[in-house]
Amino acid sequence: MNQIDLRSDTVTRPTAAMRAAMASAPVGDDVYGEDPTVNRLQEMVAGLLGMEEALFVASGTQSNLLAIMAHCGRGDEYIAGQAAHCYRFEGGGAAVLGSIQPQPLEFEADGTLDLEKVAAFIKPDDPHFARTRLLCLENTQSGKVLPLEYLARARAFSRNSGLALHLDGARLANAAVCLNQPMSEISRHFDSVSLCLSKGLGAPVGSVLAGSRELVATAQRWRKVLGGGMRQAGILAAAGIVALEEGIQRLEEDHANARRLANGLVELGLPADPETVQTNMVFVCLPQAESARLTQYLRQRNILVCGRDTLRLVTHRDVSAKDIDTVIAACGEFRRAGC
Ligand SMILES: *Cc1c(COP(=O)(O)O)cnc(C)c1O
């Protein structure tokens, strides 16, 4: 039976077009800067994001780490959301490998960081404190799209405060499609942007970090130090190019499927507010025991979801509208069975 995997948009498998592009990609040694396919991908992303340069890296985690290490040095500090990927889900890499301290703050309900609260956490120039150097935002943040007007304010704020501004844009393409804007309308407010090719865009591996020539040169140095200098990486970059060419506009289908799912769940009386579904994530907030029962019930029907009390259901290319109806039907049976 066909499995429906809603745990994450990272589970997509490469398309036939990606596999064909990988098989025929011209390659060279990228540590020498000689892989034409990597170079093409990097130029393509720099263009799409309106940045001087871009660097192909192994993962979004590596991309964020390189950005933090490029903006900050030993004894410096970055401000990020308490639930931000670059603080909470990256193994403490900035502290472990960069001697850079995080200052986490709660995200607001809309996925932004309150700039007045950020201001209150910027440390004075005094040997007691780490030097606050960088503010990191995330877009989308748990599927939420940061308002463009907020990004403009964050840009002005970071300039006035002498902070660099980094975007963890793992799902930047989802945000752009939701706003019906090019990605550059979002990225133009930032000094550096990390974009994942391996989430909803569907590539098997890889992220890209974009920024100024100087920032990317520093990031490239750290990438080598961290063991991320890859050789004929064009094999991977080729799939990333296809992901960007074919994967962006179709995210609209994932967003429509997420709305369809949220509407269906709400009709069953499950708490999944369709008003809050902007991109490809639906959250269902249930008592933990009920979440566990629903997760188990769905798993027996070959439907995978993740989460503890709040279940997260993520739509992506390998989930069709018909699959969504199958999921809604299974949740309906669960409700009727009174599990
Ligand atoms: C997935 C993700 C990352 C990291 O990507 P990996 O490629 O899994 O390391 C970073 N930030 C956010 C918001 C993500 O969702």
Side-chain angles (χ1 to χ4, degrees):
M1 187 183 151
N2 185 25
Q3 181 174 275
I4 303 172
D5 194 342
L6 297 167
R7 289 172 302 167
S8 178
D9 47 9
T10 55
V11 302
T12 52
R13 306 235 161 73
T15 60
M18 286 176 192
R19 288 183 185 271
M22 293 171 82
S24 64
V27 294
D29 191 329
D30 182 52
V31 173
Y32 296 143
E34 291 173 4
D35 189 302
T37 308
V38 170
N39 291 340
R40 199 176 137 218
L41 171 67
Q42 291 176 166
E43 278 161 30
M44 192 175 169
V45 173
L48 285 169
L49 301 188
M51 295 286 194
E52 272 176 8
E53 288 197 359
L55 185 70
F56 183 51
V57 301
S59 65
T61 299
Q62 187 176 65
S63 192
N64 282 332
L65 176 59
L66 295 177
I68 295 169
M69 289 177 73
H71 288 296
C72 304
R74 186 172 191 212
D76 291 348
E77 168 184 271
Y78 68 105
I79 296 178
Q82 187 72 248
H85 204 283
C86 71
Y87 166 62
R88 191 148 174 197
F89 299 102
E90 298 184 358
V96 175
L97 300 164
S99 301
I100 301 154
Q101 141 178 314
Q103 169 63 68
L105 294 187
E106 289 298 334
F107 279 123
E108 302 301 308
D110 63 357
T112 61
L113 286 173
D114 182 320
L115 299 174
E116 281 179 26
K117 291 183 193 162
V118 173
F121 277 93
I122 297 174
K123 314 285 183 287
D125 183 7
D126 171 317
H128 286 91
F129 304 112
R131 289 167 301 231
T132 313
R133 292 276 196 231
L134 174 66
L135 173 60
C136 298
L137 299 177
E138 195 171 291
N139 198 11
T140 64
Q141 201 287 308
S142 290
K144 287 169 282 198
V145 179
L146 305 189
L148 290 175
E149 155 285 316
Y150 170 78
L151 299 184
R153 279 196 290 122
R155 171 74 283 179
F157 168 86
S158 73
R159 280 222 176 89
N160 293 337
S161 318
L163 303 184
L165 190 60
H166 172 67
L167 179 65
D168 178 354
R171 298 186 178 85
L172 169 59
N174 296 82
V177 165
C178 173
L179 294 172
N180 199 18
Q181 295 284 339
M183 290 194 287
S184 58
E185 262 312 291
I186 296 172
S187 58
R188 70 189 182 88
H189 298 289
F190 293 87
D191 298 304
S192 55
V193 175
S194 168
L195 169 70
C196 285
L197 303 169
S198 59
K199 301 261 160 107
L201 295 177
V205 177
S207 286
V208 184
L209 176 65
S212 67
R213 189 158 294 126
E214 195 189 350
L215 179 116
V216 169
T218 309
Q220 187 171 12
R221 171 168 273 280
W222 285 125
R223 184 186 69 172
K224 183 67 183 160
V225 171
L226 295 168
M230 295 185 283
R231 302 294 179 174
Q232 285 74 39
I235 295 281
L236 298 173
I241 291 169
V242 176
L244 289 167
E245 284 171 347
E246 299 183 353
I248 298 180
Q249 266 321 309
R250 67 147 304 285
L251 292 172
E252 181 47 54
E253 287 169 40
D254 298 345
H255 300 177
N257 280 336
R259 288 192 298 271
R260 184 186 187 95
L261 178 58
N263 284 322
L265 297 181
V266 161
E267 276 175 30
L268 297 171
L270 284 163
D273 186 359
E275 296 294 309
T276 64
V277 177
Q278 293 175 279
T279 58
N280 67 334
M281 293 187 190
V282 178
F283 293 89
V284 183
C285 190
L286 291 168
Q288 196 169 330
E290 197 180 345
S291 281
R293 281 196 301 274
L294 178 56
T295 301
Q296 178 65 13
Y297 188 90
L298 293 174
R299 186 179 301 131
Q300 285 160 357
R301 282 148 192 82
N302 250 325
I303 298 166
L304 304 183
V305 302
C306 74
R308 289 213 184 113
D309 27 328
T310 301
L311 296 181
R312 190 183 79 160
L313 293 82
V314 187
T315 56
H316 52 78
R317 194 187 53 218
D318 295 351
V319 175
S320 66
K322 188 163 156 281
D323 291 335
I324 294 298
D325 294 341
T326 304
V327 174
I328 295 167
C331 291
E333 286 162 29
F334 174 80
R335 296 293 276 179
R336 282 190 295 279
C339 302

